[in-house]
């Protein structure tokens, strides 16, 4: 199934969903600790970045600073689509919200400050309505 590339269709159809829980970014020296099930991993020169539930990070004794809410944009965006990340980031930035974006094969995932995650979803829903 081919993903959507039309920016207007991507924005109007994004259907943001706030996933339950609190998520954190941490780094390890290679191996993922037992019991940790990261939802995202990124290999960097400095170590392996993990995005995982705060509960799992705490249980594994992993250090973190940023606690995030996880928003999934449920539109099937093509990896070659242009402008979705920029439009979403611009909308959230205008409200003073940081946003860490991860692109999966089917969807884009946003990690925003946990305490403002519901606000971020409302802003994205409004952007979707304005883009229709």
């Amino acid at each position: 199934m081919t993903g959507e590339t039309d920016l207007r269709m991507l924005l109007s159809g994004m259907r943001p969903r706030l996933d339950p829980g609190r998520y954190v970014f941490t780094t390890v020296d290679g191996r993922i600790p037992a019991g940790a099930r990261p939802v995202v991993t990124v290999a960097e020169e400095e170590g392996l970045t993990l995005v995982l539930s705060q509960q799992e990070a705490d249980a594994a004794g992993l250090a973190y600073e940023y606690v995030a809410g996880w928003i999934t944009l449920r539109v099937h965006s093509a990896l070659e689509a242009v402008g979705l990340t920029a439009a979403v980031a611009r909308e959230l930035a205008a409200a003073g919200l940081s946003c860490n974006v991860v692109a999966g094969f089917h969807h884009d995932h946003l990690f925003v400050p946990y305490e403002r995650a519901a606000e971020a979803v409302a802003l994205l829903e409004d952007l979707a309505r304005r883009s229709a």
Side-chain angles (χ1 to χ4, degrees):
M1 179 153 101
T2 304
E4 182 62 61
T5 59
D6 180 82
L7 181 57
R8 185 168 165 257
M9 295 296 291
L10 287 166
L11 291 171
S12 65
M14 64 180 152
R15 297 174 299 130
R17 178 188 69 217
L18 181 58
D19 293 280
R22 296 171 182 245
Y23 293 84
V24 300
F25 288 68
T26 190
T27 187
V28 295
D29 290 332
R31 292 178 26 126
I32 298 171
R37 297 176 319 237
V39 297
V40 176
T41 61
V42 179
E44 299 180 290
E45 287 181 24
E46 299 85 355
L48 182 64
T49 296
L50 310 177
V51 181
L52 69 164
S53 76
Q54 183 179 24
Q55 182 178 3
E56 289 175 9
D58 289 344
L62 298 172
Y64 55 85
E65 296 175 8
Y66 179 74
V67 180
W70 175 11
I71 299 170
T72 299
L73 303 182
R74 293 182 288 165
V75 65
H76 181 185
S77 55
L79 291 169
E80 68 272 11
V82 175
L84 177 60
T85 301
V88 165
R90 187 171 37 254
E91 191 75 13
L92 296 178
L97 279 156
S98 65
C99 177
N100 295 279
V101 181
V102 177
F105 186 84
H106 296 283
H107 306 286
D108 290 278
H109 304 272
L110 316 175
F111 293 89
V112 301
Y114 179 78
E115 63 278 357
R116 296 185 66 193
E119 176 188 356
V121 169
L123 289 166
L124 296 172
E125 289 172 339
D126 184 58
L127 175 60
R129 277 190 294 278
R130 288 183 280 125
S131 301

